[in-house]
Amino acid sequence: MEKIKIAIATNGRLKPMGTFSRNYIEYLPFSKIVLFGGFVPYFYMGTSQKQQKILRYWYSLLSFKNQEKLSQLIKNRFKKILQKEKIDCVLAEFMNTGSAIREACEELNIPIVSNVLGYEIHQDAVLKKNYESYKKLAAYKSIVVPVAKNMVPRLKKIGFQEEQIIFSPLGARDEFFEIHPDYSSQNFVAIGRFAEMKSPLSTIKAFHKVLKECPNAKLLFAGEGELFEDTKNLVNQLNIQNSVEFVGWVTPEEQINLLSKSAIFIQHSVTTSTGDAEGTPVAILEASAAGLPIVSTRHGGIVDTVIDGKTGYLVEENDWEEMGNKMIELLQNPDRLKEFGQNGKKFISENFSMRKHIEEVEKAIRKAVNL
């Protein structure tokens, strides 16, 4: 452990959340504490739900349900933790977390490094609500780490300078590079939330087209979400339920098993009605690291991680027919399928490994501490 001490701030209300935080806890070479409980986090990792409930109730009584007074109580507790722990830098999991803690950190002269995952600057309502606080974060001793290149111009428009921006998508963990896909399986796999941004109905329509040419193909569809029932209903309407297996939410171990018995990874990401868009989808990074060719859309950070015609195929958003064509093309050309998969494994290893991402975040923290 080095002398630099950081606080990892995650806005999970009941517990620390997110792939980013888990990897930072494990791999960053600094002394660290983890805080959660809201956009201004004030619980240590390990705080029981009973303890959380007691403190929340006590703060509610002290503030007389006055939101401004409650916010001040939470901010003061957050500041006291930073002072007590002698924190040198706060690493925020989201940019709106970074902007929410900015005032407290500025009062203590503690720099902030903040991830930018996408929804903070792509989703219209979130951007509008936080725009002024983002500008204040840009004017402070802060560094932002966007996970997709298309976020950089938006960050500059807000006011972040070139030297405050370090592009670094989350990388694939080492165990995914050890996977050996089953290229002869004719199995497609999709892993992600059943939500508007992932357009699961487009995925089903594309797969339905595949079945007309490749009747032995199968789709393993993992995840949960608000569009699950709609997706399941479409499968029933198309009478393809024998070819689609809904796996539910999967653990990392189950995810590795799914990739191991599949040949091709698919994901039809689209920009939502509110303007929300993907950053760099971790599931695509991990599938490509595992050696699966990708069929996806020209969307968000996906264009940075899939080389069209070399590690997979990209189609326009909502063009499920062309997506189906590309899926058929790969199934009918097994040599190309395997070649794309191996190209992807090499490309992700060289450019998007977890090790590389951690090195970039470490670099950002060192730079921030010296601002």
Side-chain angles (χ1 to χ4, degrees), residues 146-170:
V147 300
K149 288 179 182 176
N150 68 341
M151 298 175 184
V152 174
R154 288 175 174 249
L155 290 167
K156 288 182 177 179
K157 187 175 180 181
I158 289 168
F160 290 96
Q161 303 301 307
E162 186 81 40
E163 59 270 19
Q164 289 178 278
I165 302 171
I166 297 179
F167 163 64
S168 180
L170 180 62

Side-chain angles (χ1 to χ4, degrees), residues 239-270:
N239 197 29
I240 58 173
Q241 52 267 48
N242 291 333
S243 300
V244 179
E245 180 182 344
F246 291 106
V247 183
W249 195 251
V250 292
T251 65
E253 293 74 22
E254 291 167 335
Q255 180 183 354
I256 288 172
N257 181 53
L258 278 178
L259 296 175
S260 299
K261 62 183 183 181
S262 302
I264 300 166
F265 186 90
I266 57 176
Q267 181 170 309
H268 198 102
S269 295
V270 300

Side-chain angles (χ1 to χ4, degrees), residues 51-112:
Q51 290 172 307
Q52 293 175 48
K53 189 174 181 180
I54 291 170
L55 186 57
R56 289 187 198 279
Y57 179 70
W58 177 240
Y59 275 13
S60 180
L61 287 177
L62 288 176
S63 64
F64 303 105
K65 297 186 178 180
N66 180 308
Q67 188 58 47
E68 188 175 331
K69 190 169 183 180
L70 177 61
S71 296
Q72 190 62 43
L73 286 169
I74 291 171
K75 173 188 160 185
N76 288 342
R77 177 174 164 86
F78 175 70
K79 280 179 62 178
K80 285 178 181 177
I81 292 172
L82 298 186
Q83 289 175 304
K84 174 188 172 186
E85 299 289 347
K86 298 180 180 177
I87 297 299
D88 298 301
C89 180
V90 178
L91 175 58
E93 190 168 19
F94 301 91
M95 190 164 79
N96 39 4
T97 303
S99 64
I101 64 174
R102 189 268 317 160
E103 186 176 331
C105 289
E106 189 167 354
E107 290 172 7
L108 299 174
N109 197 32
I110 296 173
I112 299 168

Side-chain angles (χ1 to χ4, degrees), residues 209-220:
K209 181 169 186 174
V210 171
L211 287 175
K212 294 175 182 178
E213 297 285 333
C214 311
N216 293 323
K218 188 168 184 179
L219 171 60
L220 308 174

Side-chain angles (χ1 to χ4, degrees), residues 72-363:
Q72 190 62 43
L73 286 169
I74 291 171
K75 173 188 160 185
N76 288 342
R77 177 174 164 86
F78 175 70
K79 280 179 62 178
K80 285 178 181 177
I81 292 172
L82 298 186
Q83 289 175 304
K84 174 188 172 186
E85 299 289 347
K86 298 180 180 177
I87 297 299
D88 298 301
C89 180
V90 178
L91 175 58
E93 190 168 19
F94 301 91
M95 190 164 79
N96 39 4
T97 303
S99 64
I101 64 174
R102 189 268 317 160
E103 186 176 331
C105 289
E106 189 167 354
E107 290 172 7
L108 299 174
N109 197 32
I110 296 173
I112 299 168
V113 173
S114 177
N115 286 321
V116 188
L117 303 189
Y119 87 101
E120 309 105 300
I121 56 173
H122 287 314
Q123 201 170 102
D124 297 337
V126 176
L127 179 59
K128 184 178 180 180
K129 178 182 178 182
N130 292 284
Y131 194 80
E132 291 305 316
S133 61
Y134 288 168
K135 286 176 68 175
K136 291 177 182 177
L137 180 64
Y140 181 56
K141 298 196 304 184
S142 66
I143 291 175
V144 285
V145 185
V147 300
K149 288 179 182 176
N150 68 341
M151 298 175 184
V152 174
R154 288 175 174 249
L155 290 167
K156 288 182 177 179
K157 187 175 180 181
I158 289 168
F160 290 96
Q161 303 301 307
E162 186 81 40
E163 59 270 19
Q164 289 178 278
I165 302 171
I166 297 179
F167 163 64
S168 180
L170 180 62
R173 301 191 303 277
D174 289 346
E175 55 262 40
F176 284 91
F177 293 100
E178 304 301 320
I179 294 173
H180 300 286
D182 186 352
Y183 293 123
S184 64
S185 67
Q186 295 196 45
N187 286 346
F188 293 92
V189 60
I191 302 172
R193 278 191 57 78
F194 283 74
E196 183 185 359
M197 193 190 301
K198 305 289 187 183
S199 191
L201 300 181
S202 296
T203 297
I204 294 300
K205 291 174 185 177
F207 180 65
H208 180 235
K209 181 169 186 174
V210 171
L211 287 175
K212 294 175 182 178
E213 297 285 333
C214 311
N216 293 323
K218 188 168 184 179
L219 171 60
L220 308 174
F221 214 154
E224 300 172 338
E226 57 271 22
L227 292 180
F228 177 78
E229 288 301 325
D230 289 347
T231 307
K232 193 173 181 180
N233 288 340
L234 179 59
V235 167
N236 292 334
Q237 290 168 21
L238 296 173
N239 197 29
I240 58 173
Q241 52 267 48
N242 291 333
S243 300
V244 179
E245 180 182 344
F246 291 106
V247 183
W249 195 251
V250 292
T251 65
E253 293 74 22
E254 291 167 335
Q255 180 183 354
I256 288 172
N257 181 53
L258 278 178
L259 296 175
S260 299
K261 62 183 183 181
S262 302
I264 300 166
F265 186 90
I266 57 176
Q267 181 170 309
H268 198 102
S269 295
V270 300
T271 304
T272 70
S273 54
T274 62
D276 201 2
E278 297 269 19
T280 299
V282 178
I284 287 181
L285 285 175
E286 292 172 338
S288 198
L292 278 75
I294 310 297
V295 182
S296 191
T297 50
R298 294 185 181 91
H299 170 91
I302 296 172
V303 297
D304 301 323
T305 57
V306 179
I307 305 175
D308 190 24
K310 186 173 181 182
T311 69
Y313 288 123
L314 297 177
V315 303
E316 296 303 320
E317 294 184 22
N318 300 305
D319 191 351
W320 59 265
E321 291 200 53
E322 183 59 14
M323 185 177 189
N325 291 336
K326 295 303 184 185
M327 292 160 68
I328 292 167
E329 185 175 324
L330 281 175
L331 272 192
Q332 293 181 341
N333 293 274
D335 289 342
R336 186 181 308 167
L337 186 158
K338 186 175 181 179
E339 178 189 348
F340 279 17
Q342 295 308 305
N343 288 345
K345 185 182 285 282
K346 183 173 185 292
F347 177 67
I348 298 300
S349 176
E350 292 174 353
N351 297 279
F352 296 99
S353 68
M354 176 58 66
R355 191 173 295 108
K356 182 176 176 63
H357 175 72
I358 293 296
E359 287 173 358
E360 293 293 342
V361 174
E362 179 186 345
K363 173 182 166 185

